[in-house]
Amino acid sequence: MIRKLLTIAALALAFTAAQAQPYPAKPIRMIVPFPPGGGTDILSRLVANKLTEVSKWTVVPDNRAGAGGTIGIAEAVRAAPSGYEMVMGQKDNMVVAPWLYKNLSYDPTKDLVAVAHVAYTPVVIVTRSDSKFKTLADVVAAARAAPDAITYGSPGNGTTIHLAGEIFKSAANIKMRHVPYKGSNAAMMDVLAGNVDLMVSSLPSAMSQIQGGKLRPLAVTSARRSSSLPDVPTVAELGYKGFDVSTWYGLFMPAGTPKDVVTTVNAEVNKLLATPEMKAAIIAQGAEPQAMTPQELETLLKTDYQKWKSIVQASGATIE
């Protein structure tokens, strides 16, 4: 009897000790809902590597691509709310996809908890450097002369980037043919090869090719110019007043994740974003670092979720 009581006591002490271990006590998986090489992948790996380096955590990126980023988000929703599973979500799969996909399995405002905002970025319209299109006005003129003859690639149906192209077509009253890809990298290869005329892209996805002189940026879609490309005009400056499409990136965990875990991860990410090295690294990728509290990110998510409902419905776009 005494031996049994001692065994129970030992187990209880072991359980208490395990519970008392500081977070994180094991590697954290960061789901990346797009393929390697795109803007989401670049920023995700930057955050994961720097958290591992600076905070001495082990954060492991895991690409789970497909369906405009919705497969990776759905996997995060299904994960255990233990604090060891998180996903890099963005406007594409968090606030646009729910209004595009008829049978989406998740509601981002209910099934995930906001953890930490990382960055935001304008969308950029690019063409290869030897293209006949020198300006956005050239594109518009050519599209009006030959409707549907110009092609533009995007990372996939249902992304903010795809809709940026559709919204621009509507604003300019032109017709261009959309070619969706499974991620930015595939679209980039085709525009560089001349298989598509233009690409609508996040800046992090296109930045290295722009800097390398292989892509010509025609315009950014945000309300103000990008600090990474200060000489590139906005679509609004070029005559389309009020045009403003940008995207954001943030970390989310399954609903039910303990609040103290959310607070801990938020504090570490925000501390990382405040360092000159991390700021420079994010800006070099064409994005703008921006720290938020979990509550601020939750408000951003819910506000954009409702805002993009009307935008998607007005576009008439749907995905089965």
Side-chain angles (χ1 to χ4, degrees):
M1 183 65 181
I2 293 175
R3 180 178 295 176
K4 185 176 181 180
L5 289 172
L6 288 173
T7 301
I8 292 172
L11 289 171
L13 285 171
F15 178 78
T16 302
Q19 292 294 96
Q21 282 185 308
Y23 174 87
K26 62 180 183 180
I28 301 168
R29 180 171 74 132
M30 180 189 289
I31 298 171
V32 184
F34 283 96
T40 304
D41 181 70
I42 292 168
L43 285 176
S44 297
R45 291 180 183 277
L46 181 59
V47 172
N49 292 341
K50 288 297 182 181
L51 280 175
T52 298
E53 175 188 327
V54 175
S55 302
K56 307 306 179 186
W57 295 1
T58 302
V59 182
V60 183
D62 185 11
N63 294 86
R64 288 289 184 265
T70 61
I71 289 175
I73 298 295
E75 184 162 335
V77 167
R78 294 191 299 269
S82 60
Y84 293 96
E85 303 275 356
M86 61 183 174
V87 64
M88 182 67 82
Q90 69 279 88
K91 191 181 289 186
D92 295 346
N93 44 41
M94 298 292 286
V95 305
V96 177
W99 305 115
L100 277 172
Y101 287 82
K102 292 183 177 180
N103 300 306
L104 203 62
S105 64
Y106 61 84
D107 179 339
T109 65
K110 297 177 181 177
D111 298 329
L112 293 167
V113 60
V115 177
H117 187 270
V118 174
Y120 66 92
T121 176
V123 174
V124 63
I125 301 172
V126 296
T127 188
R128 61 190 181 279
S129 58
D130 61 352
S131 168
K132 63 181 180 180
F133 302 122
K134 308 301 182 186
T135 66
L136 195 62
D138 292 342
V139 174
V140 172
R144 287 178 179 163
D148 277 335
I150 296 174
T151 54
Y152 78 95
S154 83
N157 281 319
T159 60
T160 308
I161 295 169
H162 163 214
L163 287 182
E166 295 300 305
I167 295 168
F168 175 68
K169 283 164 52 178
S170 177
N173 193 26
I174 58 174
K175 291 184 178 181
M176 297 190 296
R177 185 156 47 90
H178 175 230
V179 182
Y181 291 84
K182 293 183 178 179
S184 295
N185 210 34
M188 187 73 65
M189 293 303 100
D190 262 9
V191 75
L192 289 172
N195 296 327
V196 291
D197 299 305
L198 308 168
M199 180 181 174
V200 185
S201 171
S202 69
L203 260 181
S205 296
M207 198 65 184
S208 64
Q209 299 292 355
I210 292 172
Q211 292 172 332
K214 294 182 179 180
L215 287 179
R216 176 186 298 127
L218 301 177
V220 293
T221 64
S222 50
R224 63 178 185 271
R225 294 193 181 198
S226 166
S227 59
S228 302
L229 294 175
D231 296 329
V232 178
T234 67
V235 172
E237 285 179 71
L238 297 174
Y240 304 94
K241 292 183 178 180
F243 198 98
D244 182 13
V245 180
S246 58
T247 192
W248 48 256
Y249 303 85
L251 294 170
F252 296 82
M253 288 182 171
T257 299
K259 287 185 178 181
D260 60 334
V261 169
V262 171
T263 300
T264 298
V265 177
N266 178 268
E268 287 300 313
V269 172
N270 287 354
K271 184 166 65 176
L272 188 63
L273 293 176
T275 64
E277 182 183 3
M278 190 64 172
K279 286 181 179 179
I282 291 175
I283 291 172
Q285 296 301 330
E288 308 280 347
Q290 185 181 44
M292 291 185 183
T293 65
Q295 294 75 26
E296 288 170 334
L297 178 55
E298 180 183 9
T299 298
L300 174 64
L301 169 63
K302 290 182 176 179
T303 300
D304 272 359
Y305 185 74
Q306 290 303 319
K307 174 184 175 182
W308 278 81
K309 177 181 179 179
S310 58
I311 294 174
V312 173
Q313 290 176 340
S315 75
T318 59
I319 299 175
E320 297 292 339

